[in-house]
Amino acid sequence: VRSETDGLLPQFDTNQPLVFFVNGKKVTDDGPDPECTLLMYLREKLRLCGTKLGCAEGGCGACTVMVSK
């Protein structure tokens, strides 16, 4: 893990909303919790309870999330 002083971690403006797409639908969160994982967000905020807690091995792709611009 690198610190923000390394200049390698991106700096985020926490005053800006978080905007992303889930299943083709735009999601905007005006006050995202920095402690919330993607899995927690999908399950708790979006009520997508079919999301799977991954095994962290990454072999089967069942818990794959595609992230793009």
Side-chain angles (χ1 to χ4, degrees):
V1 177
R2 300 181 187 264
S3 70
E4 290 185 40
T5 57
D6 293 10
L8 298 175
L9 291 179
Q11 298 290 320
F12 294 102
D13 183 354
T14 56
N15 295 319
Q16 294 294 317
L18 176 65
V19 180
F20 59 100
F21 291 82
V22 175
N23 296 332
K25 295 181 183 175
K26 185 176 181 179
V27 176
T28 303
D29 190 333
D30 291 323
D33 178 1
E35 299 292 320
C36 183
T37 66
L38 177 59
L39 178 68
M40 288 169 41
Y41 195 92
L42 293 173
R43 285 183 172 180
E44 296 170 13
K45 297 222 178 192
L46 301 181
R47 301 288 185 208
L48 296 175
C49 54
T51 54
K52 176 185 172 200
L53 175 59
C55 62
E57 291 184 22
C60 70
C63 54
T64 301
V65 175
M66 187 176 94
V67 179
S68 65
K69 280 189 162 186

